[in-house]
Amino acid sequence: MSLKRKDLTGIASLSPDEIMLILETADSFKEVTGREIKKVPALRGKTVVNFFFEPSTRTRTSFELAAKRLSADVINFSPSSSSVVKGETLLDTARNIEAMQADIIVLRHPAAGAAETLARGVKSSVINAGDGWHEHPTQALLDLYTLREKGLAFKGLRVAIVGDIAHSRVARSNIFALTKLGAEIRAVGPPTMIPACLDKLGVRVYHRMDEALRGVDVIMMLRLQLERQGRALFPTIREYARLYGLTAERLKLAEPGALVMHPGPINRGVEIAPEVADSFSSVILDQVTNGVAVRMGVLYLLSGAN
Amino acid sequence: MIAREEHANRKHEKPIMDAHEVARALTRIAHEILERNKGIRGTALVGIRTGGVHLAHRLAKRIQEIEQGSVPIGELDITLYRDDLALRKDQPVLRKTSVPFDITDLKIVLVDDVLFTGRTIRAAMDGLIDLGRPAEIQLAVLVDRGHRQLPIKATYIGKNIPTSQDENIHVFLEEEGEEDRVVIINGGAP
């Protein structure tokens, strides 16, 4: 089987088979990233453009490294250094990039649906690297890859996602991906951070952390977006940390050996206690390592001739 | 659907080697590998997925029976090194490369089922050299059917089979649930 699509704009439209194909493909690239010479010639002569409208170090670096390890040429484009500030529209800028024979455009944009719009407007493949509060598909894929690598099966897997679900594209993509593969998801957070009708996606909603963590196999912590503090989603950081921070004590409520994940960057002492972030349960750095392999897999699968 | 195609193909099958002949050819190649390399010290087998991997395991077993001591086996997927990757619309499925030892300074015997254009072997050599610097690369194939497009030659050959361009050679192996045999199929483009 092969991935018969031009773009990866979200998890919502992927079938379980397509998700598994991406994970299996990433396996091969994990082997490549473990070699002394971490480079294969698969994308020689192709051009990948990182088109980032939001600050990002981790995701952009991860895509850049992935493309370079596949021997593609990489260009980084960010709004402050481009004509976007001069009033050009997203699509016009992208068409200019395309006119320079870019094969794959990796887009991060603050507006939900930006990747989909771009994908319809250009012939190049488009990979969504985060669009507003909508989706961040490669993050969900690397989370899944990490769980699978740790030997967990998705069917019946109990996963708690803790934090600002409403404003998290990572949570949304993970909910789509994990429910498609048969996992059982619990969303935990204060009511201001839980979107309406979340149960329609097959998710159980909790407001008390201790209740939600009981017996789970995986705890996915979300970053508390401190920049949103002015929006009255929670009274104080200290209160949030007390109610929804993952401490060593709370971790004991989960299944023995439960895994702790975080998409980064972490706020130590806020959503996650330092001793948990650095514990054996934490797979946070595995997630980062696997991110490169998974993105190599996605770039490879989308790089077929047009 | 697949079963029916296979059945239809069978009608045009011309047998080239049966199970006994395959076994004898492998035994001979195992002896030749030992003879040329003066034993198994410093030698390793690397099979090219998928047929070559099965054959590499069989050769290793024979070598171990002849000389006491084990020979390292690796498995190589050459997909990422193919020269037609940029031309294909759908990317081929990857299978994992697994060479769990350092190949630097080893004599590597690449193993494949059929040697045809030589493009697979070119890709395999590139893939191998990305893993280290072997002292030597040798090539063992069960069948050499000719029509080379690159200057590549096998070190060990099970059987030379003259073919025409529109014929196809199929190597069926027990590991894939078939009776061991090699056949020519007429005009059946893969």
Side-chain angles (χ1 to χ4, degrees):
Chain A
M1 135 166 215
S2 58
L3 201 62
K4 294 198 191 316
R5 40 176 83 233
K6 175 171 92 68
D7 315 288
L8 176 67
T9 54
I11 298 286
S13 63
L14 292 184
S15 70
D17 283 348
E18 286 176 309
I19 294 174
M20 293 314 289
L21 172 71
I22 295 172
L23 302 185
E24 279 157 21
T25 304
D27 260 343
S28 291
F29 291 111
K30 183 74 192 271
E31 182 268 322
V32 172
T33 61
R35 296 179 187 173
E36 201 155 320
I37 300 173
K38 301 171 182 58
K39 207 177 174 96
V40 288
L43 262 67
R44 219 156 32 115
K46 305 256 179 186
T47 305
V48 176
V49 179
N50 279 328
F51 199 21
F52 277 60
F53 287 80
E54 274 184 352
S56 157
T57 316
R58 196 169 322 241
T59 307
R60 191 184 52 72
T61 313
S62 182
F63 267 111
E64 188 171 346
L65 211 48
K68 286 183 169 165
R69 286 182 177 168
L70 289 166
S71 305
D73 295 312
V74 191
I75 305 166
N76 291 310
F77 229 73
S78 51
S80 58
S81 64
S82 79
S83 55
V84 176
V85 285
K86 297 175 190 160
E88 198 177 35
T89 67
L90 170 67
L91 212 51
D92 282 330
T93 312
R95 281 185 181 138
N96 275 279
I97 293 175
E98 193 180 35
M100 299 175 210
Q101 266 84 41
D103 299 285
I104 300 179
I105 299 175
V106 179
L107 178 73
R108 151 94 37 120
H109 197 278
E116 189 65 48
T117 306
L118 194 63
R120 287 183 195 165
V122 298
K123 285 194 211 73
S124 316
S125 291
V126 174
I127 299 175
N128 183 3
D131 58 336
W133 301 340
H134 176 226
E135 281 225 49
H136 189 355
T138 56
Q139 176 71 41
L141 291 165
L142 74 89
D143 289 343
L144 260 55
Y145 183 88
T146 306
L147 295 174
R148 181 167 161 276
E149 188 185 45
K150 298 290 169 190
L152 299 179
F154 297 118
K155 198 151 185 60
L157 191 71
R158 287 156 298 183
V159 183
I161 305 181
V162 186
D164 191 354
I165 314 272
H167 306 102
S168 172
R169 52 194 173 211
V170 174
R172 195 177 310 267
S173 288
N174 262 309
I175 288 170
F176 286 139
L178 285 162
T179 49
K180 275 175 201 279
L181 296 174
E184 180 193 304
I185 306 202
R186 308 175 183 182
V188 201
T192 48
M193 292 181 172
I194 300 285
C197 304
L198 193 54
D199 52 318
K200 294 236 166 72
L201 294 180
V203 176
R204 282 173 67 182
V205 175
Y206 293 78
H207 298 300
R208 283 175 202 283
M209 182 109 167
D210 292 1
E211 233 173 86
L213 294 190
R214 208 149 281 146
V216 295
D217 306 297
V218 179
I219 306 171
M220 277 186 185
M221 300 305 298
L222 299 175
R223 185 173 76 89
L224 182 67
Q225 302 179 38
L226 300 172
E227 59 273 21
R228 294 194 200 283
Q229 212 209 334
R231 304 187 46 187
L233 294 172
F234 53 95
T236 64
I237 293 173
R238 208 200 305 176
E239 183 186 305
Y240 181 87
R242 194 164 49 77
L243 293 174
Y244 296 103
L246 183 61
T247 57
E249 210 48 48
R250 284 201 168 119
L251 181 54
K252 286 184 192 145
L253 296 168
E255 275 295 289
L259 300 182
V260 176
M261 311 184 95
H262 193 299
I266 61 176
N267 297 308
R268 281 176 183 265
V270 182
E271 71 266 5
I272 188 162
E275 67 267 27
V276 175
D278 302 328
S279 71
F280 277 121
S281 309
S282 162
V283 293
I284 297 172
L285 293 177
D286 298 81
Q287 290 173 269
V288 179
T289 307
N290 292 338
V292 178
V294 167
R295 291 178 175 120
M296 284 172 84
V298 171
L299 287 167
Y300 166 76
L301 289 169
L302 294 182
S303 68
N306 291 322
Chain B
M1 177 74 177
I2 291 166
R4 206 185 319 143
E5 268 172 24
E6 211 149 86
H7 183 71
N9 280 343
R10 283 230 176 173
K11 277 192 270 187
H12 311 285
E13 267 187 34
K14 194 172 111 199
I16 297 295
M17 292 171 90
D18 64 16
H20 294 293
E21 286 167 300
V22 169
R24 279 185 216 116
L26 290 174
T27 304
R28 177 173 51 76
I29 291 173
H31 279 285
E32 284 175 359
I33 290 172
L34 287 168
E35 193 181 3
R36 185 186 174 100
N37 298 299
K38 302 185 173 65
I40 47 167
R41 268 180 69 93
T43 307
L45 302 180
V46 173
I48 298 173
R49 286 197 183 274
T50 308
V53 169
H54 300 317
L55 295 176
H57 281 274
R58 292 197 199 179
L59 284 173
K61 194 161 165 266
R62 284 171 163 77
I63 288 171
Q64 277 158 33
E65 280 163 10
I66 303 164
E67 308 255 311
Q68 309 307 320
S70 66
V71 50
I73 305 179
E75 305 179 348
L76 192 66
D77 181 66
I78 57 113
T79 311
L80 296 169
Y81 295 87
R82 291 171 66 130
D83 56 9
D84 61 349
L85 215 46
L87 311 171
R88 297 172 63 104
K89 193 165 168 57
D90 296 319
Q91 298 295 60
V93 173
L94 297 183
R95 282 158 300 188
K96 220 167 148 183
T97 286
S98 162
V99 181
F101 48 87
D102 183 8
I103 65 164
T104 300
D105 294 333
L106 290 183
K107 286 184 262 186
I108 300 295
V109 182
L110 271 176
V111 185
D112 204 1
D113 45 9
V114 181
L115 177 57
F116 181 23
T117 61
R119 287 177 191 269
T120 300
I121 306 304
R122 197 282 307 162
M125 288 195 287
D126 276 0
L128 209 51
I129 285 164
D130 271 3
L131 301 175
R133 185 177 186 278
E136 199 179 313
I137 299 178
Q138 303 167 4
L139 173 62
V141 295
L142 184 61
V143 173
D144 182 350
R145 61 165 293 191
H147 304 288
R148 215 77 77 237
Q149 291 167 359
L150 296 172
I152 280 169
K153 187 165 167 281
T155 326
Y156 315 99
I157 299 168
K159 192 176 173 104
N160 279 299
I161 303 175
T163 57
S164 67
Q165 283 277 12
D166 62 347
E167 285 172 329
N168 264 303
I169 296 274
H170 272 234
V171 173
F172 293 101
L173 295 173
E174 246 175 45
E175 288 88 339
E176 313 223 298
E178 293 276 347
E179 193 186 330
D180 278 354
R181 65 187 191 283
V182 179
V183 300
I184 290 188
I185 294 166
N186 277 321

